[in-house]
Amino acid sequence: MKRKKRLGLQKQQRREETAFWLFISPWVLGFICFVGGPILASLFFSFTKYNITDAVDFIGLGNYKTLFSDDLFYKSLGVTTYYAALAVPFTICLGLLLALLLNQKIKGQAFFRTMFYAPTVVSGVSIAFLWAWLLNPDFGVVNSILYTLFGVDGPGWFTDSKTVIPSFVLMQLTSLGGTMIIFLASLQSLPDELYEVASIDGAGPIRRFFKITIPLISPVILFNSIIAIINSFQVFTQAYVVTKGGPNWMSYFYVYYLFDTAFADFNIGYASAQAWILFIIIFVLTMLSLLVSKRYVHYES
């Protein structure tokens, strides 16, 4: 009797395993064909000279050697790094501030949460056109308001090499929804007892924020920071739609250069090498963030 029962359990487990693999097989096939396969192909092409029309010519590390002597490589990487240095703290600080405000119990709370999150689901191209109109130096809404209220001529925004990167950072105002929602979820999970005890001990709002809130949500800050770093090094749509890499190459982001190499020059081998260098840069920055976080991030036991 026990043997039959054991055999029955084994058959049920095999059926469940079969059902599991059948259900996830579309994802596995999709990953192999559209993600894993292209990743391995790009690694192979990065060691070749290949432009689609001609035969593949294996050149070893030739693409990487050329890349590290390419002025546009350093220019685009510098532009991207400058953008990331401004955009990451801007995104984290403002996302956390919005989450703190939307965590307050006020009338219309759900409406405000929806309003601030809604732009996140809008197409990046649409958002880029919107900001190009808002920050147009000749007839844009922002410069019109500055002149009407303060009599000040607004900056050139996307047309000035000094303000083009800060202008792209400003565009993050309509992309904070995801960061804000994650912060908001973490704030709502904090225990009220800690704040009550701190209030009884005489701790004010600012002290409670820095001594309780920040340590408790530090893992979430780390997560959002890593995501922000990754996104900052993959900027493309905004520059492609608004500035085309100008003025004076000051918005020629790294991914824009990669795009031009692959789809304008059809230099697939060189573009693949660029993609792998980008992967290494992001991987190193992520590992550094995790390494530094061991000292500052608090995990509840």
Side-chain angles (χ1 to χ4, degrees):
M1 188 70 181
K2 290 182 178 180
R3 185 181 178 185
K4 288 183 178 179
K5 187 175 181 180
R6 188 165 57 251
L7 290 173
L9 289 173
Q10 290 176 351
K11 288 181 180 179
Q12 183 179 355
Q13 288 176 349
R14 284 196 294 269
R15 286 196 297 268
E16 290 177 354
E17 289 176 2
T18 303
F20 166 77
W21 286 110
L22 286 174
F23 277 115
I24 71 165
S25 60
W27 182 88
V28 172
L29 292 174
F31 179 83
I32 293 172
C33 294
F34 302 111
V35 179
I39 288 174
L40 294 177
S42 71
L43 180 60
F44 169 74
F45 286 132
S46 71
F47 298 107
T48 67
K49 184 178 180 181
Y50 178 50
N51 61 359
I52 298 179
T53 57
D54 298 331
V56 176
D57 182 17
F58 187 81
I59 58 173
L61 296 174
N63 286 324
Y64 294 95
K65 292 178 181 178
T66 304
L67 191 61
F68 286 112
S69 61
D70 184 352
D71 291 338
L72 269 181
F73 165 74
Y74 292 106
K75 179 65 177 179
S76 61
L77 187 58
V79 168
T80 306
T81 303
Y82 174 40
Y83 172 80
L86 296 179
V88 173
F90 180 83
T91 301
I92 298 303
C93 294
L94 205 56
L96 179 56
L97 177 62
L98 280 174
L100 288 168
L101 293 174
L102 295 175
N103 195 41
Q104 305 302 312
K105 295 179 180 179
I106 59 172
K107 190 175 181 180
Q109 183 187 68
F111 168 77
F112 288 111
R113 289 177 179 178
T114 304
M115 183 181 69
F116 280 106
Y117 181 76
T120 306
V121 301
V122 179
S123 166
V125 175
S126 303
I127 293 295
F129 277 120
L130 172 64
W131 279 101
W133 171 66
L134 289 173
L135 299 180
N136 187 287
D138 298 322
F139 55 82
V141 175
V142 175
N143 279 7
S144 298
I145 292 174
L146 289 174
Y147 186 79
T148 302
L149 296 181
F150 307 103
V152 175
D153 292 327
W157 301 111
F158 296 115
T159 62
D160 189 337
S161 58
K162 295 180 180 179
T163 58
V164 62
I165 294 299
S167 299
F168 279 113
V169 173
L170 196 61
M171 289 177 68
Q172 289 295 105
L173 284 171
T174 48
S175 304
L176 294 172
T179 303
M180 177 201 71
I181 286 295
I182 295 172
F183 274 133
L184 184 60
S186 66
L187 290 172
Q188 291 181 336
S189 66
L190 299 181
D192 294 332
E193 295 81 4
L194 290 176
Y195 292 94
E196 292 174 359
V197 172
S199 298
I200 293 172
D201 288 342
I206 295 177
R207 190 172 183 183
R208 291 199 300 268
F209 175 73
F210 285 104
K211 296 296 184 180
I212 298 177
T213 305
I214 292 296
L216 289 181
I217 67 169
S218 55
V220 181
I221 295 175
L222 172 64
F223 173 80
N224 278 333
S225 298
I226 291 174
I227 296 300
I229 290 171
I230 294 171
N231 290 337
S232 296
F233 273 84
Q234 298 185 59
V235 176
F236 167 72
T237 304
Q238 301 94 310
Y240 184 76
V241 172
V242 180
T243 62
K244 301 296 181 183
N248 299 323
W249 303 94
M250 280 304 298
S251 64
Y252 199 59
F253 294 101
Y254 189 89
V255 174
Y256 200 148
Y257 183 28
L258 195 158
F259 173 84
D260 277 348
T261 303
F263 300 105
D265 301 335
F266 296 105
N267 194 345
I268 304 302
Y270 196 60
S272 297
Q274 289 177 287
W276 278 95
I277 291 297
L278 178 62
F279 166 76
I280 292 170
I281 291 171
I282 292 176
F283 179 78
V284 169
L285 290 174
T286 302
M287 291 300 103
L288 285 175
S289 300
L290 293 174
L291 185 64
V292 172
S293 71
K294 292 180 180 180
R295 187 173 179 179
Y296 299 103
V297 176
H298 167 76
Y299 294 99
E300 294 184 70
S301 58

